[in-house]
Each structure stands twice: as C-alpha cells, then as structure tokens.
C-alpha cells in the first residue's frame, strides 16, 4: 500500500511545485498565498488600529458651505432693466383728426437742437473756452451752481442768464481786465444742459422724458406718443414751472402757419396738454 502524499499541479514557471509548497506564487503579480493540503490561508499586512475621528454630518457640511441653510440654494434670477417700449404711432398715421399725423416719432428720433442766439445760459451748460497768443488754454468749463465759470488766471466770470450771442463779449471783457495785450479768447456753448421734462394731461403715454434744454416741446410730446385724439386738444398746450404757466401754445399755429415760439425748458418743467 502506497503512502499517502500530496500531489501539486505544476506550471511552466514552477515545474517542481516548490514555490507552491512554500506558499509563493509562481506569478509575481499574484497575491502571496500559502497552500496546504487541508486549507489555504491568505497572508495580509498587519492591521493598525486608527482612532475614529469625529466627522460632521453631510447635511451640516453642506449647510456650512451654503451659508447656514440645509436646503440647496436656488438659482439667482438677474433681471435686466428693460428699455421703454417704443410707441406704436399707427393710430396717429391712420386717424382722420386734423394734425394727428404731426406726431409719428420723427421728433423723438431727431438729434440735438442747435443753439439759437437767444439761448439763455443755465447752470450745467458747458462752455468751450480757448486762449491763444502769450497764454494758451483750451478746455470746456461747466457753469457752476453760482452761475459762474472759473477762467484760469482771470477768476470767476458770471455767465448765468447771458444770451448765447453775448457770451463772447462777456468773456472777452473779463479777460481784457487781466491780459492787456497778446492774449486772445474765444468762447462758445459746447453742450446744452440735459433736462428731464414731465409730459402730462391728455397724451397717449404721460411720463418723465429726457432731452436737453434746447429741445422743442414737440420733441417731448412726440416721446409721449402725441396728443390723445379722443380727449386732448391741439389748441391749449401749457408749459409750467412750479405753479407758474410760462407759455400757452396752439399747435395749429405751427401746422398751418409754421409759427412755434421758442421756450427754453428746464429740469422738472411740465408740458400739460389740456382737453
């Protein structure tokens, strides 16, 4: 009777099965395993006990990242400012009311009105001032709240209330008091004061509209969509400042005869269209 023995299968890397007997793998990449006739025991690295560290709950962590709220932050909706909707002038164009087609958006789209000789200088107007000769200077000066412009080497020169056609003479007179000769000056209005004018009464779109002090009241009424054809009147347009009525205008004088009085508007003035 043959003695009991253990037979191991061999492979090309371990022909005599020595590595398998002593627990080495024939394949270097395989795990190191000891094989016996009765059991197979896997050798592992010693386990080192690591103390449990306190961890914050996931909800608390997300809360700290979101600023204290346990709920996820909702997306922020950014609202862009919307430009005022352009008025539909088709009603004015198709109406049979005499003068309705006066307001079709052409005045609202027109550029800045040029200065007229009788324009009155106001606070906020820009005056282009130039010196040449023995002293050179070129800059735009703004009329300050006291009604002056400060001219270099000359000092404050009061221009508030002066007419456009008198501006050159007024500045030149102040310069001549300091520079007797060889210095020449030139002054002109560079930009009118921007203003915001209320349009109220029987117009299609009452509101506050932007322009310059040189713009005609036609510009502002056109921005407001024109006269309300069912309730408003072309005969009685008032320009008010505080409690004072500065002018009353009949638009038919403009339509039939081309006459339009020049009224210099100020910030906060009211164009009121009566019934």
């Amino acid at each position: 009777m043959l003695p009991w023995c253990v037979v191991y299968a061999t492979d090309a890397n371990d022909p005599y099965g020595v590595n398998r007997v002593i627990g080495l793998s024939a394949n270097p990449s395989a795990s190191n395993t000891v094989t016996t006739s009765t059991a197979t025991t896997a050798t592992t690295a010693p386990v080192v006990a690591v103390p449990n560290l306190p961890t914050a709950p996931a909800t608390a962590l997300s809360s700290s990242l979101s600023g204290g709220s346990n709920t996820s932050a909702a997306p922020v909706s950014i609202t862009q400012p919307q430009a005022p909707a352009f008025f539909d002038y088709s009603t004015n164009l198709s109406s049979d009311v005499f003068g309705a087609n006066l307001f079709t958006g052409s005045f609202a789209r027109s550029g800045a009105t040029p200065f007229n000789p009788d324009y009155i200088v106001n606070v906020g107007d820009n005056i282009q001032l130039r010196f040449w000769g023995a002293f050179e200077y070129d800059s735009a000066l703004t009329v300050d709240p006291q009604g002056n412009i400060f001219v270099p080497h000359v000092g404050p020169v009061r221009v508030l209330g002066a007419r456009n056609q008198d501006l050159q003479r007024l500045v030149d007179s102040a310069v001549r008091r300091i520079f007797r000769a060889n210095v020449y000056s030139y002054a002109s209005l560079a930009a009118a004061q921007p203003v915001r004018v209320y349009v109220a009464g029987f117009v299609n779109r009452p509101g506050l509209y932007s322009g310059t002090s040189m713009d005609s009241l036609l510009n502002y009424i056109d921005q407001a969509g024109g006269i309300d054809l069912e309730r408003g009147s072309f005969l009685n347009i008032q320009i008010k400042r505080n409690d004072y009525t500065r002018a009353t205008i009949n638009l038919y004088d403009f339509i039939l005869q081309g006459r339009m009085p020049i009224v210099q508007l100020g910030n906060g003035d009211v164009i009121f269209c009566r019934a």
Side-chain angles (χ1 to χ4, degrees):
M1 182 176 182
L2 295 176
W4 179 83
C5 64
V6 178
V7 180
Y8 294 95
T10 63
D11 56 25
N13 294 327
D14 190 15
Y16 298 102
V18 176
N19 291 338
R20 187 179 299 278
V21 171
I22 64 177
L24 297 178
S25 173
N27 187 359
S29 62
S31 61
N32 189 12
T33 308
V34 179
T35 306
T36 66
S37 59
T38 59
T40 301
T41 305
T43 61
T44 58
V47 178
V48 179
V50 179
N52 293 329
L53 298 178
T55 58
T59 56
L61 178 59
S62 62
S63 173
S64 62
L65 295 176
S66 61
S69 175
N70 291 335
T71 59
S72 57
V76 179
S77 176
I78 300 176
T79 303
Q80 297 293 338
Q82 299 293 328
F86 187 76
F87 185 76
D88 183 8
Y89 294 93
S90 59
T91 302
N92 294 345
L93 289 169
S94 60
S95 176
D96 294 332
V97 175
F98 181 67
N101 59 356
L102 178 64
F103 300 108
T104 59
S106 57
F107 293 110
R109 292 188 295 267
S110 63
T113 305
F115 290 104
N116 62 76
D118 293 326
Y119 177 83
I120 304 300
V121 177
N122 282 316
V123 173
D125 288 347
N126 292 326
I127 297 176
Q128 189 70 34
L129 182 63
R130 296 178 176 90
F131 288 165
W132 68 96
F135 172 60
E136 294 186 355
Y137 179 79
D138 186 356
S139 182
L141 304 177
T142 302
V143 181
D144 62 26
Q146 298 183 16
N148 302 322
I149 57 173
F150 193 88
V151 181
H153 301 294
V154 175
V157 177
R158 185 169 181 82
V159 295
L160 179 65
R163 295 188 305 170
N164 185 19
Q165 62 183 0
D166 298 331
L167 185 61
Q168 171 64 40
R169 178 185 56 80
L170 189 63
V171 173
D172 191 65
S173 176
V175 171
R176 287 285 170 262
R177 292 197 296 266
I178 305 300
F179 299 102
R180 298 295 182 181
N182 297 328
V183 174
Y184 307 94
S185 65
Y186 178 77
S188 64
L189 281 166
Q193 178 188 21
V195 296
R196 304 188 74 188
V197 175
Y198 293 95
V199 183
F202 296 105
V203 293
N204 288 311
R205 190 170 58 179
L208 180 64
Y209 296 96
S210 299
T212 69
S213 54
M214 278 301 300
D215 290 333
S216 168
L217 86 161
L218 296 174
N219 177 288
Y220 293 100
I221 296 177
D222 204 15
Q223 291 187 65
I227 305 295
D228 186 336
L229 301 178
E230 295 182 359
R231 298 177 294 173
S233 172
F234 288 75
L235 303 175
N236 195 357
I237 311 296
Q238 296 180 340
I239 299 178
K240 297 185 175 186
R241 180 172 296 174
N242 298 326
D243 295 331
Y244 173 67
T245 300
R246 300 177 57 202
T248 300
I249 297 174
N250 182 350
L251 291 182
Y252 285 146
D253 290 342
F254 174 73
I255 296 174
L256 298 175
Q257 303 176 21
R259 292 191 291 109
M260 173 61 66
I262 297 177
V263 181
Q264 189 170 324
L265 298 171
N267 198 46
D269 281 357
V270 178
I271 299 174
F272 188 77
C273 301
R274 301 185 64 88

